[in-house]
Amino acid sequence: MMRQGARNFVRRFSRLAAAADTTAAAAVPRMPAFDHVPLPYDGPSAAEIARKRAEYLSPSLFHFYSKPLNIVEGKRQYLYDEHGRRYLDAFAGIATVCCGHCHPDVVDAIAAQARRLQHSTVLYLNHAIADFAEALASKLPGDLKVVFFTNSGTEANELAILMARLYTGSHDIISLRNSYHGNAAGTMGATAQKNWKFNVVQSGVHHAVNPDPYRGAFGSDAEKYVRDVQEIIEFGTTGQVAGFISEAIQGVGGIVEVSPGYLPLAYEKVRNAGGLCIADEVQAGFARVGSHFWGFETHGVVPDIVTMAKGIGNGIPLGAVVTTPEIAQVLTRRCYFNTFGGNPLCTAGGLAVLKVLEKEKLQENAFVVGSYLKDRLRGLQEKHEIIGDVRGTGFMLGVELVTDRQLKTPAKEEICHAMEHMKDMGVLVGKGGFYANVFRITPPLCFTKEDADFFVEVMDIALSKL
C-alpha cells in the first residue's frame, strides 16, 4: 500500500505536470480557424506506405522529416495527415499549388472534362487545348502567342533549348551557375549545381557567374556579372550562341533574385551574338511574384521563349512553351509530337486555374500578403542571428540560415532541426539552395495575413529552440 505522503506527492507532481503541459500547449501559436472537416481515413498507415515505397519505388526518392508525413487530404492552404491533423502548407508541393489544394472550380472543370473525354489526340480537334492556349497567350507580352504543351517543366525547358538551337543554327547555351532547369539530357546540362547532375554527356552549355546579391562575387553590381556573359561569348564560343536561359528568381537554388538590371544587359549581349533569350518561369510564373504575372516582368524584359509548369495546373502534370510565330516554325522542319501534351483533361484544368487566379485576385493577394510576410520575416532577422538573409518577392520568399553572418557559413543541420520543430507545431515549409540551408516559402496564393502571422510565430519559436 502507498503511504499517504507518497500519494500526496504523486498528486502534486501530476498537477504540476499537467500545468506544465498546459503552459507548453499555450506556448504553441494557435493555427487560424478553418471551416473544413477532413474525410475519415481508412487507408494504409505511414509505416506501411514507407515499406512499399522502399520496396517498389525508386531508391533515389527522399523525404523531409525524421518520420515522413502521410498526407492524405488537402483543402486550400492546408494539408491533413492520416490522423486528421491539419498543417499550414507553406511549400505548395514545390511552388506548384497556386489556387489552393482541391479548389472546387478546378476540380469541377477536371471532373466535367473527364466525364466527357479524358484523352484523344491532337490529331483530332478539341476545343479544350485551343481555349487554354488562347487564354495563356493573352497573359504574355508582345508576339509571344504560340503555345506548345508538355507534361512538365523539364520537358518544357528541353523543348525551349531545342528550339533555340534549331532557330539559330548554333549549339552553345549560356546558363547561370546555381540554376536548376530540369534533369533530362539538355536541361541537366543547363542546370549548374553538382547536386543535380549525373556523369553523362552534357555538351554545349556555358555557366555564367551567378548574379547573386547575397553570395555573389560582385554583390548587386549587374554590369560586372554581365561582363562574364560577354567573355563567355568571346572566349568560349564562335561568337554566335543559341540562347541564354535563366530564372528571374532561382527556386531550387534557394530563392535567389538575380541582381537588378542584370537581365536587360544579359539579353542585349546574347541577342547581339545571335542568341534567343529563354525565361524559365516554372516556379516564378503564374502570379507567384505578386507584383507581376511573370517573374521576367519584374526586370522589364521580353524573352523570345517562355517556359512554364507547376502553377500552370495547380498540381496537374502540365507544362508549356510559349514563343513567337516565327520561332515556332522551326518545329515544322521535322515532326514534333507529344502524346499527352495538351490533352483535354489537363488543358481544361489549366484554363480553370487561370480563371480562378483572376476571379479571386490571387496575384494581388500574393503581392499584399507576400509583402507583409517578408516584412515580418525581416523582423525575425533582427531577432535571430542565425538568419543571414531574407529575400524574394510575393509568395516566392527565401530565408537563409547561417551560423556566422560575416562568413555566411551555411547552417545545414540547424535548418533540419528547425523544420522538425515547425512541423511539430503544424507548419510545413521547404528548403533548398546549394547548401540546403534556405527556407523556401512558396505557399498557395490564397495564404492569408493570419496564416503569415502564424507562420512567423512558429518559425520564431523553432529558431529559438536551436
Side-chain angles (χ1 to χ4, degrees), residues 39-97:
L39 295 170
Y41 177 72
D42 59 0
S45 66
E48 176 63 12
I49 295 170
R51 184 193 65 77
K52 288 183 180 179
R53 178 162 152 158
E55 185 172 355
Y56 298 111
L57 294 179
S58 168
S60 67
L61 295 179
F62 57 91
H63 54 73
F64 285 160
Y65 311 118
S66 56
K67 293 183 179 180
L69 287 174
N70 179 19
I71 297 297
V72 301
E73 189 170 335
K75 190 68 174 177
R76 303 292 284 183
Q77 64 269 44
Y78 295 102
L79 292 169
Y80 298 84
D81 68 12
E82 61 188 309
H83 306 296
R85 183 183 179 186
R86 179 162 58 107
Y87 297 87
L88 179 64
D89 183 8
F91 198 28
I94 316 179
T96 297
V97 179

Side-chain angles (χ1 to χ4, degrees), residues 142-194:
D143 211 20
L144 292 165
K145 59 183 181 183
V146 181
V147 184
F148 296 86
F149 287 111
T150 66
N151 303 290
S152 69
T154 290
E155 275 191 19
N157 284 332
E158 284 279 331
L159 180 57
I161 291 171
L162 171 65
M163 293 172 74
R165 285 171 167 163
L166 291 174
Y167 181 79
T168 62
S170 298
H171 188 69
D172 292 287
I173 295 288
I174 300 175
S175 176
L176 296 178
R177 295 178 187 174
N178 195 53
S179 63
Y180 178 88
H181 297 291
N183 54 15
T187 51
M188 188 179 292
T191 292
Q193 287 193 37
K194 68 177 183 179

